[in-house]
């Protein structure tokens, strides 16, 4: 290659590495429907969570590394052995110009918490006894027992506070002539924060395109996006289509639930031992091997062993049994059921679309066929016997997992006794006693066999080298505001 050709090639690569942005705007492709822009209330899709957290603030928020940072509250203290959190609000205004007061903020927070009743996030917040006003700009949250993860919970998009249906930023949303949604940082002085002399130079716009996974990857690959967000197991083969070795693919070290939820207790699935047969039959190593992703580990536990309050008394299931032995025992249970003249219809498994889901289904089909069962794949919103669950944990404690699987949330198969142990743990101020109760709860939930764990969830993104404001983090959560700030 001549020197001239080499220079041209280097310049082309440099341009591609910066994407095809407009006037310094950072182009972001999000895997998700544009309907996320219209989602209201507290049941939000991942794309809608991204929008909510950009345009609405709670008492606290997240930075790009998943750390809690000030938002409407500019400072806080924790007292009474972790059972009281006192927040001082910044001197800002609501969208209509009215001053933010503790009365209004506390009322909004109470309303939001009440709206989460009956959901897993509501159970996470169940230890909140009272939200009360202490002074014009001071709120206190009283707890019945310590909740070490309270700040992390308050930073969730669903806990953002609204005033007459609108949020306080830190960004405002508009659109451009090309149909992209443009998010712009609100100047600090308009939010009750000190003026920043270099704000105009440092702040940049974000142009967000919501689109299908394959189109999002194409936009990134063709240089029309610098960041791609929203990757999960169902879409990760698309990342491999341009090469995982390029260094653009970022995997988040998340924990959570990835496996099959039992949605029907009719016939064969009505017995816990039969549901356990399904769990025994899955060759998790073979399933993970279909994706060829280093470090992705299988699990048979409903609670991740990495959580802070795990005592280590509950290990992986069926240790000491080979895969053949497990499938032989599972097949015997299926045969015993059929020998009684009871048939087992084809089981429907609800899954999202995408090539990753297809790989999961193919392995499940092989494994279940070995024990005498046939399965059919249906859409993720269709009625089904089993449902593929893929949820990243919002905080790193056993209570998150157990609340997800509680009888309040899961109506088909759950453990009332397990829920009782979790409720007792919630009231305990002794960390050791609380951890012991949670271990008992995990054992009860596991024996119900309402959820069949497979592995950790996968969360992935694509980011061009040198893009500021993005970092892999344990929640798989990538807020927009940090990406709108250029380095000093």
């Amino acid at each position: 290659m001549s020197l001239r050709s080499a220079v041209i090639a280097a310049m082309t690569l440099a341009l591609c590495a910066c994407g095809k942005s407009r006037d310094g705007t950072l182009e972001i492709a999000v895997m998700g429907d544009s309907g996320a822009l219209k989602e209201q209330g507290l049941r939000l899709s991942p794309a809608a969570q991204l929008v909510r957290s950009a345009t609405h603030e709670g008492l606290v928020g997240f930075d790009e590394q998943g750390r809690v940072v000030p938002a409407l509250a500019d400072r806080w203290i924790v007292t009474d052995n972790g059972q009281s959190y006192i927040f001082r609000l910044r001197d800002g205004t609501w969208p209509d110009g009215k001053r933010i007061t503790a009365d209004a903020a506390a009322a909004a927070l109470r309303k939001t918490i009440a709206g989460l009743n009956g959901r897993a996030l509501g159970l996470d917040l169940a230890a909140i006894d009272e939200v009360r006003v202490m002074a014009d700009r001071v709120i206190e949250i009283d707890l019945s027992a310590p909740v070490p993860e309270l700040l992390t919970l308050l930073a969730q998009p669903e806990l953002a506070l609204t005033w007459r249906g609108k949020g306080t930023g830190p960004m405002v949303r508009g659109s451009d002539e090309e149909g992209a949604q443009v998010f712009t940082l609100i100047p600090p002085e308009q939010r009750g924060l000190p003026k920043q002399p270099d704000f105009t130079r440092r702040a940049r716009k974000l142009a967000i395109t919501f689109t299908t996974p394959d189109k999002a990857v194409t936009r990134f690959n063709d240089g029309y996006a610098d960041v791609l967000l929203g990757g999960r197991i169902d879409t990760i083969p698309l990342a491999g289509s341009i090469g995982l070795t390029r260094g653009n693919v970022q995997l988040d070290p998340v924990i959570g639930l990835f496996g099959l939820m039992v949605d029907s207790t009719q016939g064969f699935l009505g017995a816990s031992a039969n549901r356990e047969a399904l769990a025994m039959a899955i060759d998790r190593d073979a399933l993970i091997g279909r994706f060829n992703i280093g470090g992705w580990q299988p699990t048979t536990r409903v609670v991740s062993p990495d959580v802070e309050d795990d005592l280590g008394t509950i290990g992986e299931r069926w240790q000491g049994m080979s895969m053949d032995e497990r499938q032989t025992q599972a097949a015997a249970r299926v045969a015993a059921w059929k020998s009684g003249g009871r048939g087992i219809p084809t089981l429907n498994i609800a899954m999202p679309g995408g090539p990753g889901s297809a790989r999961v289904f193919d392995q499940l089909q092989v494994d279940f066929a070995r024990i005498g069962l046939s399965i059919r794949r249906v859409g993720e919103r269709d009625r089904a016997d089993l449902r593929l669950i893929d949820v990243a944990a919002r905080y790193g404690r056993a209570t998150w997992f157990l609340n997800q699987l509680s009888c309040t949330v899961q109506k088909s198969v759950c453990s009332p006794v397990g829920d009782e142990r979790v409720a007792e743990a919630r009231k305990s101020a002794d960390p050791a006693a609380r951890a012991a109760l949670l271990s008992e709860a995990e054992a009860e939930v596991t024996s119900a066999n309402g959820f069949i764990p497979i592995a950790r969830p996968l969360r992935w993104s694509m980011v061009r080298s040198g893009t500021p404001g993005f970092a892999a983090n344990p929640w798989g959560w990538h807020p927009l505001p940090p990406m709108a700030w250029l380095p000093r």
Side-chain angles (χ1 to χ4, degrees):
M1 179 185 294
S2 67
L3 177 59
R4 180 175 182 274
S5 298
V7 170
I8 292 175
M11 291 176 63
T12 301
L13 286 173
L15 289 171
C16 289
C18 296
K20 300 179 180 179
S21 59
R22 296 161 286 184
D23 301 324
T25 298
L26 181 69
E27 305 281 345
I28 301 176
V30 176
M31 296 183 186
D33 194 283
S34 60
L37 298 167
K38 302 177 181 179
E39 289 185 35
Q40 302 293 325
L42 299 174
R43 294 185 180 275
L44 303 174
S45 66
Q49 290 176 336
L50 194 68
V51 173
R52 176 74 60 85
S53 67
T55 57
H56 296 64
E57 289 182 299
L59 295 177
V60 293
F62 287 124
D63 68 5
E64 67 271 23
Q65 296 185 41
R67 299 173 299 194
V68 173
V69 294
L72 287 179
D74 56 14
R75 67 192 70 172
W76 55 87
I77 59 173
V78 184
T79 64
D80 295 337
N81 296 318
Q83 291 185 232
S84 174
Y85 285 68
I86 300 173
F87 297 87
R88 182 185 181 278
L89 304 180
R90 71 169 189 252
D91 189 13
T93 60
W94 296 109
D96 62 359
K98 289 190 176 181
R99 185 168 172 269
I100 296 174
T101 64
D103 282 319
L109 183 57
R110 293 188 200 105
K111 181 179 179 180
T112 298
I113 293 172
L116 292 168
N117 186 42
R119 300 182 57 197
L121 188 53
L123 293 175
D124 294 331
L125 296 166
I128 294 179
D129 266 349
E130 185 180 8
V131 178
R132 59 192 182 92
V133 176
M134 296 184 67
D136 181 53
R137 289 165 55 195
V138 181
I139 291 174
E140 181 177 20
I141 298 179
D142 290 327
L143 306 172
S144 59
V147 181
E149 64 279 358
L150 182 65
L151 291 175
T152 301
L153 288 167
L154 293 175
Q156 301 299 322
E158 291 86 347
L159 271 294
L161 305 185
T162 61
W163 176 257
R164 297 180 179 176
K166 295 183 179 180
T168 60
M171 308 186 84
V172 292
R173 177 173 63 86
S175 59
D176 64 12
E177 64 279 1
E178 297 182 25
Q181 297 296 310
V182 178
F183 289 76
T184 306
L185 286 168
I186 302 172
E189 63 271 20
Q190 295 180 19
R191 300 171 53 223
L193 298 170
K195 184 176 182 179
Q196 295 188 22
D198 60 350
F199 174 79
T200 302
R201 179 181 61 82
R202 290 190 59 210
R204 63 175 170 182
K205 295 180 180 180
L206 306 181
I208 315 295
T209 301
F210 296 89
T211 187
T212 59
D214 54 342
K215 290 182 179 179
V217 172
T218 297
R219 284 186 65 82
F220 185 91
N221 196 30
D222 290 347
Y224 289 98
D226 298 293
V227 179
L228 180 152
L229 301 176
R232 298 181 174 226
I233 182 70
D234 53 319
T235 55
I236 199 165
L238 298 176
S241 68
I242 68 168
L244 285 169
T245 59
R246 287 196 179 189
N248 291 324
V249 178
Q250 298 286 327
L251 294 175
D252 291 302
V254 300
I255 57 175
L257 296 177
F258 176 69
L260 298 177
M261 192 73 71
V262 178
D263 268 8
S264 171
T265 55
Q266 299 297 312
F268 180 77
L269 294 178
S272 176
N274 293 341
R275 298 192 295 269
E276 184 187 20
L278 300 183
M280 296 174 72
I282 299 174
D283 188 340
R284 291 164 177 79
D285 288 326
L287 189 152
I288 287 176
R290 288 176 177 259
F291 292 87
N292 193 30
I293 296 175
W296 192 27
Q297 297 294 322
T299 187
T300 58
R301 287 188 60 181
V302 298
V303 173
S304 172
D306 296 328
V307 298
E308 293 184 24
D309 44 9
D310 178 49
L311 294 178
T313 57
I314 296 180
E316 296 291 334
R317 304 178 76 181
W318 313 298
Q319 295 186 58
M321 294 179 65
S322 68
M323 193 67 244
D324 286 341
E325 290 171 335
R326 284 163 47 183
Q327 289 182 343
T328 297
Q329 188 174 127
R333 296 184 190 182
V334 172
W337 177 270
K338 291 180 178 179
S339 67
R342 298 166 294 191
I344 304 177
T346 298
L347 300 178
N348 291 325
I349 301 184
M351 293 183 173
S357 295
R359 294 185 188 184
V360 173
F361 178 81
D362 288 346
Q363 185 61 47
L364 293 176
Q365 191 172 44
V366 169
D367 293 336
F368 289 160
R370 287 173 178 161
I371 66 170
L373 295 176
S374 59
I375 60 174
R376 178 191 301 113
R377 180 180 172 185
V378 299
E380 62 180 327
R381 291 184 175 85
D382 294 338
R383 293 185 62 180
D385 303 294
L386 304 167
R387 188 171 304 276
L388 186 66
I389 299 297
D390 184 0
V391 187
R394 302 209 188 203
Y395 60 93
R397 291 187 176 273
T399 46
W400 180 87
F401 296 83
L402 298 171
N403 287 339
Q404 293 287 317
L405 302 174
S406 72
C407 296
T408 299
V409 179
Q410 304 301 335
K411 306 300 184 183
S412 295
V413 180
C414 64
S415 171
V417 176
D419 285 358
E420 291 176 7
R421 297 293 88 81
V422 174
E424 293 172 16
R426 188 179 297 126
K427 298 175 183 177
S428 176
D430 179 8
R434 185 165 58 245
L437 287 166
L438 292 174
S439 291
E440 292 180 27
E442 181 183 355
E444 295 290 345
V445 172
T446 299
S447 65
N449 290 296
F451 175 69
I452 301 172
I454 294 175
R456 293 185 178 199
L458 281 177
R459 294 292 181 270
W460 64 278
S461 308
M462 287 183 171
V463 187
R464 298 203 189 280
S465 177
T467 300
F470 179 98
N473 66 73
W475 316 126
W477 176 248
H478 303 289
L480 298 179
M483 287 184 270
W485 286 104
L486 292 170
R488 293 186 185 275

